[in-house]
Coordinates of all heavy atoms in Angstrom, one line a residue:
M1 N -2.7 78.3 -169.8 CA -2.5 78.3 -168.4 C -2.8 79.8 -167.9 O -2.5 80.7 -168.6 CB -1.0 77.9 -168.0 CG -0.9 76.5 -168.1 SD 0.6 76.0 -167.1 CE 1.9 76.7 -168.0
P2 N -3.3 79.9 -166.8 CA -3.7 81.3 -166.3 C -2.4 82.0 -165.7 O -1.5 81.3 -165.3 CB -4.8 81.0 -165.2 CG -4.4 79.7 -164.7 CD -3.8 78.9 -165.9
I3 N -2.5 83.3 -165.6 CA -1.5 84.0 -165.1 C -1.9 84.4 -163.7 O -2.9 84.9 -163.5 CB -1.1 85.3 -165.9 CG1 -0.6 85.0 -167.2 CG2 -0.2 86.2 -165.1 CD1 -0.4 86.2 -168.1
Y4 N -1.1 84.1 -162.7 CA -1.3 84.4 -161.4 C -0.4 85.5 -160.9 O 0.7 85.7 -161.4 CB -1.2 83.2 -160.4 CG -2.3 82.2 -160.6 CD1 -1.9 80.9 -161.1 CD2 -3.5 82.6 -160.4 CE1 -3.0 80.0 -161.2 CE2 -4.6 81.6 -160.5 CZ -4.3 80.3 -160.9 OH -5.3 79.3 -161.1
E5 N -0.9 86.3 -160.0 CA -0.2 87.3 -159.4 C 0.3 86.9 -158.0 O -0.5 86.4 -157.2 CB -0.9 88.7 -159.3 CG -0.1 89.8 -159.0 CD -0.9 91.1 -159.0 OE1 -2.2 91.0 -159.1 OE2 -0.3 92.1 -159.0
F6 N 1.6 87.1 -157.8 CA 2.2 86.7 -156.5 C 2.7 87.8 -155.8 O 3.2 88.9 -156.4 CB 3.2 85.6 -156.7 CG 2.7 84.4 -157.2 CD1 2.8 84.1 -158.6 CD2 2.1 83.5 -156.5 CE1 2.4 83.0 -159.1 CE2 1.6 82.3 -157.0 CZ 1.8 82.1 -158.3
R7 N 2.8 87.8 -154.5 CA 3.5 88.8 -153.7 C 4.6 88.2 -152.8 O 4.2 87.2 -152.0 CB 2.5 89.7 -152.9 CG 3.3 90.8 -152.3 CD 2.2 91.7 -151.5 NE 1.6 90.9 -150.4 CZ 0.4 91.4 -149.9 NH1 -0.1 92.5 -150.3 NH2 -0.2 90.7 -148.9
C8 N 5.7 88.7 -152.9 CA 6.8 88.1 -152.0 C 6.6 88.4 -150.6 O 6.2 89.5 -150.2 CB 8.1 88.7 -152.5 SG 9.5 88.2 -151.5
R9 N 6.7 87.4 -149.7 CA 6.5 87.6 -148.3 C 7.7 88.2 -147.7 O 7.5 88.8 -146.6 CB 6.3 86.2 -147.6 CG 4.9 85.6 -147.9 CD 4.6 84.5 -146.9 NE 3.2 84.0 -147.1 CZ 2.9 82.8 -147.7 NH1 3.9 82.1 -148.1 NH2 1.7 82.4 -147.7
R10 N 8.8 88.3 -148.3 CA 9.9 88.9 -147.7 C 10.1 90.3 -148.1 O 10.3 91.1 -147.2 CB 11.2 88.1 -148.2 CG 12.5 88.5 -147.5 CD 13.6 87.4 -147.7 NE 14.9 88.1 -147.9 CZ 15.8 87.4 -148.5 NH1 15.7 86.2 -148.8 NH2 17.0 88.1 -148.8
C11 N 10.0 90.7 -149.3 CA 10.3 92.0 -149.7 C 9.0 92.7 -150.2 O 9.0 94.0 -150.4 CB 11.3 92.2 -150.7 SG 10.8 91.6 -152.4
G12 N 7.9 92.0 -150.3 CA 6.7 92.6 -150.8 C 6.6 92.9 -152.3 O 5.6 93.5 -152.8
H13 N 7.5 92.4 -153.1 CA 7.6 92.6 -154.5 C 6.4 91.8 -155.1 O 6.2 90.7 -154.8 CB 8.9 92.1 -155.1 CG 9.0 92.3 -156.5 ND1 9.2 93.5 -157.2 CD2 9.0 91.4 -157.6 CE1 9.2 93.4 -158.5 NE2 9.1 92.1 -158.7
R14 N 5.7 92.5 -156.0 CA 4.6 91.7 -156.7 C 5.1 91.3 -158.1 O 5.6 92.2 -158.8 CB 3.4 92.7 -156.8 CG 2.7 92.8 -155.4 CD 1.8 94.0 -155.5 NE 0.5 93.6 -156.1 CZ -0.7 94.0 -155.8 NH1 -0.8 94.8 -154.8 NH2 -1.8 93.6 -156.5
F15 N 4.7 90.2 -158.5 CA 5.1 89.7 -159.9 C 4.0 88.7 -160.3 O 3.2 88.1 -159.6 CB 6.5 89.0 -159.8 CG 6.6 87.9 -158.8 CD1 6.5 86.6 -159.3 CD2 6.8 88.2 -157.5 CE1 6.6 85.5 -158.4 CE2 6.9 87.1 -156.6 CZ 6.8 85.8 -157.1
E16 N 4.0 88.6 -161.7 CA 3.0 87.7 -162.3 C 3.7 86.5 -162.9 O 4.9 86.6 -163.4 CB 2.2 88.4 -163.4 CG 1.3 89.5 -162.8 CD 0.6 90.2 -163.9 OE1 1.2 90.3 -165.0 OE2 -0.4 90.9 -163.6
K17 N 3.1 85.4 -162.9 CA 3.6 84.2 -163.4 C 2.6 83.2 -164.1 O 1.6 83.1 -163.4 CB 4.5 83.4 -162.4 CG 6.0 83.4 -162.7 CD 6.8 82.6 -161.7 CE 8.2 82.5 -162.1 NZ 9.0 81.7 -161.3
L18 N 3.0 82.6 -165.1 CA 2.2 81.6 -165.7 C 2.4 80.3 -164.8 O 3.5 79.9 -164.6 CB 2.6 81.3 -167.1 CG 1.9 82.1 -168.2 CD1 2.6 81.7 -169.5 CD2 0.5 81.7 -168.3
C19 N 1.3 79.7 -164.4 CA 1.5 78.4 -163.7 C 0.2 77.7 -163.8 O -0.8 78.1 -164.2 CB 1.9 78.6 -162.3 SG 0.7 79.6 -161.3
A20 N 0.3 76.4 -163.4 CA -0.8 75.4 -163.5 C -2.0 75.8 -162.6 O -1.8 76.5 -161.6 CB -0.4 74.0 -163.2
V21 N -3.2 75.5 -162.9 CA -4.3 75.8 -162.2 C -4.2 75.2 -160.8 O -3.9 74.1 -160.5 CB -5.6 75.3 -162.8 CG1 -6.9 75.6 -162.0 CG2 -5.8 75.9 -164.2
G22 N -4.5 76.0 -159.8 CA -4.5 75.5 -158.5 C -3.1 75.6 -157.8 O -3.0 75.3 -156.6
E23 N -2.1 75.9 -158.5 CA -0.7 75.9 -157.9 C -0.6 77.1 -157.0 O -1.1 78.2 -157.3 CB 0.3 76.1 -159.1 CG 1.7 75.9 -158.6 CD 2.6 75.9 -159.8 OE1 2.3 75.5 -160.9 OE2 3.8 76.4 -159.7
S24 N -0.1 76.8 -155.9 CA 0.1 77.8 -154.9 C 1.4 78.6 -155.1 O 2.2 78.3 -156.0 CB 0.1 77.2 -153.4 OG 1.3 76.7 -153.2
G25 N 1.5 79.6 -154.3 CA 2.8 80.4 -154.5 C 3.9 80.0 -153.7 O 5.0 80.5 -153.7
E26 N 3.8 78.9 -153.0 CA 4.9 78.4 -152.0 C 6.2 78.1 -152.7 O 7.2 78.2 -152.2 CB 4.4 77.2 -151.3 CG 3.1 77.3 -150.4 CD 3.5 78.4 -149.3 OE1 4.5 78.5 -148.8 OE2 2.5 79.3 -149.1
A27 N 6.0 77.7 -154.1 CA 7.2 77.3 -154.8 C 7.8 78.4 -155.6 O 8.8 78.3 -156.3 CB 6.9 76.0 -155.5
Q28 N 7.1 79.5 -155.6 CA 7.5 80.6 -156.5 C 8.6 81.4 -156.0 O 8.6 81.8 -154.8 CB 6.3 81.4 -156.8 CG 5.0 80.8 -157.4 CD 5.3 80.2 -158.7 OE1 6.1 80.6 -159.4 NE2 4.7 79.0 -158.9
E29 N 9.6 81.8 -156.9 CA 10.7 82.5 -156.5 C 10.5 84.0 -156.8 O 10.2 84.3 -157.9 CB 11.9 81.9 -157.1 CG 13.2 82.6 -156.6 CD 14.4 81.9 -157.4 OE1 14.8 82.5 -158.5 OE2 15.0 81.1 -156.9
C30 N 10.8 84.9 -155.9 CA 10.6 86.2 -156.1 C 11.8 86.7 -157.0 O 12.9 86.4 -156.7 CB 10.8 87.0 -154.7 SG 10.9 88.7 -154.9
P31 N 11.4 87.4 -158.1 CA 12.4 87.8 -159.1 C 13.3 88.9 -158.5 O 14.3 89.3 -159.1 CB 11.6 88.2 -160.3 CG 10.3 88.6 -159.8 CD 10.1 87.7 -158.6
S32 N 12.8 89.5 -157.5 CA 13.6 90.7 -156.9 C 14.6 90.3 -155.9 O 15.8 90.6 -156.0 CB 12.5 91.6 -156.2 OG 13.3 92.7 -155.6
C33 N 14.2 89.4 -154.9 CA 15.1 89.0 -153.8 C 15.4 87.6 -153.8 O 16.2 87.1 -152.9 CB 14.6 89.6 -152.5 SG 13.1 88.6 -151.9
R34 N 14.8 86.8 -154.7 CA 15.1 85.4 -154.8 C 14.6 84.6 -153.6 O 14.9 83.5 -153.5 CB 16.6 85.1 -155.0 CG 17.2 85.8 -156.2 CD 16.9 85.0 -157.4 NE 17.3 85.8 -158.6 CZ 16.9 85.5 -159.8 NH1 16.1 84.4 -160.0 NH2 17.2 86.2 -160.8
A35 N 13.7 85.1 -152.8 CA 13.2 84.4 -151.8 C 12.1 83.4 -152.2 O 11.3 83.8 -153.2 CB 12.5 85.3 -150.7
V36 N 12.0 82.3 -151.8 CA 11.0 81.4 -152.2 C 9.8 81.3 -151.2 O 10.1 81.4 -149.9 CB 11.5 79.9 -152.3 CG1 10.5 78.9 -152.7 CG2 12.6 79.8 -153.4
G37 N 8.6 81.2 -151.7 CA 7.4 81.2 -150.8 C 6.7 82.5 -150.9 O 6.6 83.2 -150.0
A38 N 6.1 82.6 -152.1 CA 5.3 83.9 -152.2 C 3.8 83.7 -151.9 O 3.4 82.5 -151.9 CB 5.4 84.4 -153.7
E39 N 3.2 84.7 -151.8 CA 1.7 84.6 -151.5 C 0.9 84.9 -152.7 O 1.2 85.8 -153.5 CB 1.4 85.7 -150.4 CG -0.1 85.9 -150.1 CD -0.3 86.9 -149.2 OE1 0.7 87.7 -148.9 OE2 -1.4 87.1 -148.8
R40 N 0.0 84.0 -153.1 CA -0.7 84.2 -154.3 C -1.9 85.2 -154.1 O -2.7 85.0 -153.1 CB -1.3 82.8 -154.8 CG -1.6 82.8 -156.3 CD -2.1 81.5 -156.7 NE -3.6 81.4 -156.5 CZ -4.3 80.3 -156.8 NH1 -3.7 79.2 -157.2 NH2 -5.6 80.3 -156.6
L41 N -2.0 86.2 -155.0 CA -3.0 87.1 -154.9 C -4.2 86.7 -155.9 O -4.0 85.9 -156.7 CB -2.6 88.5 -155.2 CG -1.4 89.0 -154.5 CD1 -0.9 90.3 -155.0 CD2 -1.6 89.1 -153.0
L42 N -5.3 87.3 -155.7 CA -6.4 87.1 -156.6 C -6.1 87.5 -157.9 O -5.5 88.7 -158.1 CB -7.7 87.7 -156.1 CG -8.4 87.0 -155.0 CD1 -9.4 88.0 -154.3 CD2 -9.1 85.8 -155.4
S43 N -6.3 86.8 -159.0 CA -6.0 87.3 -160.3 C -6.7 88.5 -160.7 O -7.9 88.7 -160.3 CB -6.2 86.2 -161.3 OG -7.6 85.8 -161.3
S44 N -6.0 89.4 -161.4 CA -6.7 90.7 -161.7 C -7.8 90.6 -162.6 O -8.9 91.3 -162.5 CB -5.6 91.6 -162.3 OG -4.8 90.9 -163.3
F45 N -7.8 89.6 -163.5 CA -8.9 89.5 -164.5 C -10.2 88.8 -163.8 O -11.2 89.2 -164.2 CB -8.5 88.7 -165.7 CG -7.8 87.4 -165.4 CD1 -8.6 86.2 -165.2 CD2 -6.5 87.3 -165.4 CE1 -7.9 85.0 -165.0 CE2 -5.8 86.1 -165.3 CZ -6.5 84.9 -165.0
A46 N -10.0 88.1 -162.8 CA -11.2 87.6 -162.0 C -11.9 88.7 -161.3 O -13.1 88.8 -161.2 CB -10.8 86.5 -161.0
A47 N -11.1 89.7 -160.8 CA -11.7 90.8 -160.1 C -12.4 91.8 -161.0 O -13.2 92.5 -160.7 CB -10.5 91.6 -159.3
L48 N -12.0 91.8 -162.2 CA -12.6 92.7 -163.3 C -14.0 92.4 -163.5 O -14.9 93.2 -163.8 CB -11.8 92.7 -164.6 CG -10.5 93.6 -164.7 CD1 -9.8 93.3 -166.0 CD2 -10.9 94.9 -164.5
G49 N -14.3 91.1 -163.4 CA -15.7 90.6 -163.9 C -16.7 91.2 -163.0 O -17.8 91.4 -163.5
G50 N -16.5 91.4 -161.7 CA -17.5 91.8 -160.8 C -17.7 93.3 -160.7 O -18.7 93.7 -160.3
S51 N -16.7 94.0 -161.1 CA -16.7 95.4 -160.8 C -16.8 96.2 -162.1 O -16.0 97.2 -162.3 CB -15.4 95.9 -160.0 OG -14.3 95.6 -160.8
R52 N -17.7 95.9 -163.0 CA -17.9 96.6 -164.2 C -19.0 97.7 -164.0 O -20.2 97.3 -163.7 CB -18.2 95.7 -165.3 CG -17.6 96.2 -166.6 CD -17.7 95.2 -167.7 NE -17.7 96.0 -169.0 CZ -18.5 95.6 -170.1 NH1 -19.3 94.7 -169.9 NH2 -18.4 96.4 -171.1
D53 N -18.6 99.0 -164.1 CA -19.6 100.0 -163.8 C -20.6 100.1 -165.0 O -20.2 100.0 -166.1 CB -19.0 101.3 -163.5 CG -18.3 102.0 -164.7 OD1 -17.5 101.3 -165.3 OD2 -18.6 103.1 -165.0
N54 N -21.8 100.3 -164.7 CA -22.9 100.3 -165.7 C -23.3 101.7 -166.1 O -24.4 102.2 -166.0 CB -24.1 99.6 -165.1 CG -25.0 99.0 -166.3 OD1 -24.6 99.1 -167.4 ND2 -26.2 98.6 -165.9
G55 N -22.3 102.6 -166.4 CA -22.5 103.9 -166.8 C -22.9 104.2 -168.2 O -23.0 105.4 -168.6
G56 N -23.0 103.2 -169.0 CA -23.2 103.4 -170.5 C -24.6 103.9 -170.7 O -24.9 104.7 -171.5
S57 N -25.7 103.3 -170.0 CA -27.1 103.7 -170.3 C -27.5 104.7 -169.3 O -27.5 104.6 -168.1 CB -27.9 102.4 -170.1 OG -27.8 101.9 -168.9
T58 N -28.0 105.8 -169.9 CA -28.6 106.8 -169.0 C -30.1 106.5 -168.7 O -30.6 105.5 -169.2 CB -28.6 108.2 -169.7 OG1 -29.1 108.0 -171.0 CG2 -27.1 108.7 -169.8
A59 N -30.6 107.2 -167.8 CA -32.0 107.1 -167.3 C -33.0 107.0 -168.5 O -32.9 108.0 -169.4 CB -32.4 108.1 -166.3
S60 N -33.9 106.1 -168.6 CA -34.8 106.1 -169.7 C -36.1 106.8 -169.4 O -37.2 106.4 -169.6 CB -35.1 104.6 -170.0 OG -35.7 104.1 -168.8
S61 N -35.9 108.1 -169.1 CA -37.1 108.9 -168.9 C -37.0 110.1 -169.7 O -36.8 111.3 -169.2 CB -37.2 109.3 -167.3 OG -36.0 110.0 -167.0
G62 N -37.2 110.0 -171.0 CA -37.2 111.0 -172.0 C -35.8 111.6 -172.3 O -34.8 111.0 -171.9
C63 N -35.8 112.7 -173.0 CA -34.6 113.2 -173.3 C -34.3 114.5 -172.6 O -35.0 114.7 -171.6 CB -34.6 113.6 -174.9 SG -35.8 114.9 -175.3
S64 N -33.3 115.2 -172.9 CA -33.0 116.5 -172.2 C -34.0 117.5 -172.4 O -34.0 118.5 -171.7 CB -31.5 116.9 -172.6 OG -31.5 117.1 -173.9
G65 N -34.7 117.4 -173.4 CA -35.7 118.4 -173.7 C -37.1 118.2 -173.0 O -37.9 119.1 -172.9
C66 N -37.4 117.0 -172.6 CA -38.6 116.7 -171.9 C -38.5 115.7 -170.9 O -37.3 115.2 -170.7 CB -39.7 116.2 -172.9 SG -39.3 114.6 -173.5
A67 N -39.4 115.4 -170.1 CA -39.2 114.4 -169.0 C -40.0 113.1 -169.2 O -40.0 112.3 -168.4 CB -39.5 115.1 -167.7
G68 N -40.8 113.1 -170.2 CA -41.8 111.9 -170.3 C -41.9 111.3 -171.6 O -42.9 110.8 -172.0
K69 N -40.9 111.2 -172.4 CA -40.8 110.6 -173.7 C -41.9 111.1 -174.6 O -42.7 110.4 -175.3 CB -41.0 109.2 -173.5 CG -39.9 108.5 -172.8 CD -40.0 107.0 -172.7 CE -38.8 106.3 -172.0 NZ -39.0 104.9 -171.8
S70 N -42.1 112.4 -174.6 CA -43.3 112.9 -175.4 C -42.9 113.9 -176.5 O -43.8 114.4 -177.2 CB -44.3 113.5 -174.5 OG -43.7 114.4 -173.7
C71 N -41.6 114.2 -176.6 CA -41.3 115.2 -177.6 C -40.9 114.5 -178.9 O -40.7 113.2 -178.9 CB -40.2 116.1 -177.1 SG -38.6 115.3 -177.0
A72 N -40.5 115.2 -179.9 CA -40.1 114.6 -181.2 C -38.9 113.8 -181.1 O -38.6 112.9 -181.9 CB -40.1 115.6 -182.3
T73 N -38.0 114.2 -180.2 CA -36.7 113.6 -180.1 C -36.8 112.2 -179.5 O -36.1 111.3 -179.8 CB -35.7 114.4 -179.3 OG1 -36.1 115.8 -179.5 CG2 -34.3 114.3 -179.7
C74 N -37.7 112.0 -178.7 CA -37.9 110.7 -177.9 C -38.6 109.7 -178.8 O -38.3 108.5 -178.7 CB -38.7 111.0 -176.7 SG -38.0 112.1 -175.5
R75 N -39.5 110.1 -179.7 CA -40.2 109.1 -180.5 C -39.4 108.4 -181.5 O -38.6 109.0 -182.1 CB -41.4 109.7 -181.0 CG -42.5 110.0 -180.0 CD -43.6 110.9 -180.6 NE -44.2 111.6 -179.6 CZ -45.6 111.4 -179.4 NH1 -46.3 110.6 -180.0 NH2 -46.1 112.2 -178.3
Ligands
LIG101 ZN1 11.2 89.4 -152.7

């Protein structure tokens, strides 16, 4: 079962809970103020998939010693 993140509509407390797929936060009880009726937030792991920065590969135009892949280090 996936972990969903909820936010209490009353006190704003954020908490995570395991629950069935598609279950809304309406029945979730806030662990902080015990209010029922939380708002379900987008799961954090779903957000991770789209925002992965691609900083691992540098520009493929030679090395720091040349600019055109023509020195001994590049070959
Ligand atoms: Zn609360």
